[in-house]
Amino acid sequence: KTSCMKNETHLYIPQSCHEDWNKMTPDTQGKFCASCEKIVVDFILMTDNEVLAFLSKKAGHICGRFDTEQLQRPLIETQLQPRKNWKYWLASVSALFLLGNKSSAQVTEQHLFNNSITQSIKGDTVPKTEPTTMGKVISERLLEGVVTDTSNVPIQNVLIQIKDLKLCTTTDIHGRFSLHTNNLPKKFTLMIASIGYRTQEILINKNNLTPLKIQLKENILELMGDVIIVSNPALARKRKK
C-alpha cells in the first residue's frame, strides 16, 4: 500500500555537548574538538538545501552545531527555478526588439508634434521656455545602511524588512542596503534578520534619516552534539512529545 504522507527530515541532538565552541580549532567544515577528537560541523549558517545536501553525502555519526530553530521543524528543500530554453530567450529578445522600435517611433512622433506646435505660434518660431507642469516631482527619500558582525565584517544576504509590511530588501556583498521610504509612515520599525544572528528591530523616524551602521550579534541559542536524522514524520512527532 502506497502512503500519501510525504517523508520529512528532522534533526535531533539528544544530548547537548557543553564544550566551548570558541576554544576549538578552526576547520574547513567547522571546528575540531580536542576533547571528543572529532570535527564539529557548523550547520548554523547553512540553508535547508545545504544541510540536506551535506547529510546526503555523509555516512556514519555526525557531530554538528545548529541554531535551535533548525532543530524544531522539518528541513524544507526548495526547488530552484528551471533554466529557460533557447525558445524562451529568443522570444524575449524579439519582444525587446519590438519594444525598442515602438519606443523609437513614439519619440519620433513626439518630436514631430513639438515641431508643429512651435511652427504654429505666430511671430515666434522658438518654443516658449516656460515649462508646463503636468505633475509634481517628489524627491526620493532613501534609508541606507550597512550590516556587519561584531568584528565589523560585512554580512551578505541579511533580510531588511519594514515590520508588518511586505517591503523588504537584502544586503549586498559589502553588507550595504537601501530602502525607499516615500510611501511609508512617518515612523516605522526596521527588522534586521539573518540565519545565525540575533534579530534586531530599530525604530526609524523619516524626519531624521541618517545612514545606519548595524552590528548583528551571533545567535547564542545553539545546540552542539551528535546528530540523529529522522525521516519518518510519525517518529518525529513521537520525539516531540
Side-chain angles (χ1 to χ4, degrees):
K1 183 178 180 180
T2 304
S3 173
C4 61
M5 184 178 294
K6 184 179 179 180
N7 284 346
E8 297 176 345
T9 300
H10 295 250
L11 302 179
Y12 297 91
I13 296 180
Q15 186 173 357
S16 178
C17 174
H18 298 290
E19 294 296 326
D20 190 344
W21 170 263
N22 296 318
K23 294 181 180 180
M24 296 182 185
T25 306
D27 183 82
T28 54
Q29 295 182 344
K31 290 190 176 182
F32 177 78
C33 178
S35 298
C36 306
E37 295 186 347
K38 63 174 67 173
I39 298 296
V40 181
V41 181
D42 192 359
F43 291 97
I44 283 185
L45 297 181
M46 292 189 189
T47 63
D48 285 6
N49 280 10
E50 291 170 336
V51 173
L52 291 170
F54 181 91
L55 296 177
S56 66
K57 298 175 182 178
K58 284 289 183 178
H61 295 289
I62 299 174
C63 187
R65 174 178 179 250
F66 293 88
D67 188 321
T68 52
E69 293 182 358
Q70 293 174 291
L71 304 175
Q72 296 174 354
R73 58 173 177 80
L75 297 180
I76 301 172
E77 183 178 7
T78 55
Q79 299 294 330
L80 297 178
Q81 185 177 2
R83 293 180 179 271
K84 307 296 184 181
N85 57 28
W86 65 270
K87 293 181 180 180
Y88 172 85
W89 295 115
L90 180 61
S92 300
V93 172
S94 300
L96 289 174
F97 178 75
L98 293 175
L99 181 61
N101 287 343
K102 183 177 180 181
S103 300
S104 299
Q106 289 175 344
V107 171
T108 302
E109 291 175 0
Q110 184 65 37
H111 179 69
L112 294 174
F113 176 76
N114 291 340
N115 286 343
S116 65
I117 292 296
T118 301
Q119 294 173 2
S120 66
I121 301 175
K122 295 181 179 181
D124 188 1
T125 58
V126 180
K128 295 181 179 181
T129 57
E130 182 180 354
T132 301
T133 304
M134 301 299 294
K136 184 170 65 175
V137 177
I138 302 176
S139 60
E140 192 67 60
R141 304 193 68 185
L142 288 177
L143 172 63
E144 298 176 308
V146 61
V147 182
T148 67
D149 61 15
T150 53
S151 300
N152 289 323
V153 177
I155 309 175
Q156 187 180 5
N157 294 327
V158 178
L159 176 66
I160 311 295
Q161 182 176 7
I162 308 301
K163 192 174 181 180
D164 301 325
L165 295 178
K166 294 182 179 180
L167 181 61
C168 65
T169 186
T170 56
T171 56
D172 62 15
I173 192 173
H174 303 292
R176 297 176 300 202
F177 69 90
S178 62
L179 274 173
H180 301 281
T181 64
N182 280 0
N183 296 325
L184 295 178
K186 181 179 178 181
K187 293 183 178 181
F188 57 88
T189 300
L190 193 70
M191 185 178 72
I192 306 97
S194 180
I195 296 176
Y197 295 90
R198 297 183 189 178
T199 299
Q200 284 192 32
E201 293 185 0
I202 302 175
L203 181 63
I204 303 297
N205 188 332
K206 284 176 60 175
N207 293 334
N208 187 26
L209 290 181
T210 57
L212 299 175
K213 185 174 181 181
I214 304 167
Q215 282 193 340
L216 293 184
K217 294 182 179 180
E218 191 175 353
N219 193 346
I220 60 173
L221 297 177
E222 62 183 44
L223 284 176
M224 192 166 56
D226 290 328
V227 183
I228 293 180
I229 306 170
V230 178
S231 299
N232 187 308
L235 291 178
R237 286 193 294 270
K238 287 182 180 180
R239 287 182 175 273
K240 286 184 178 181
K241 294 178 182 180

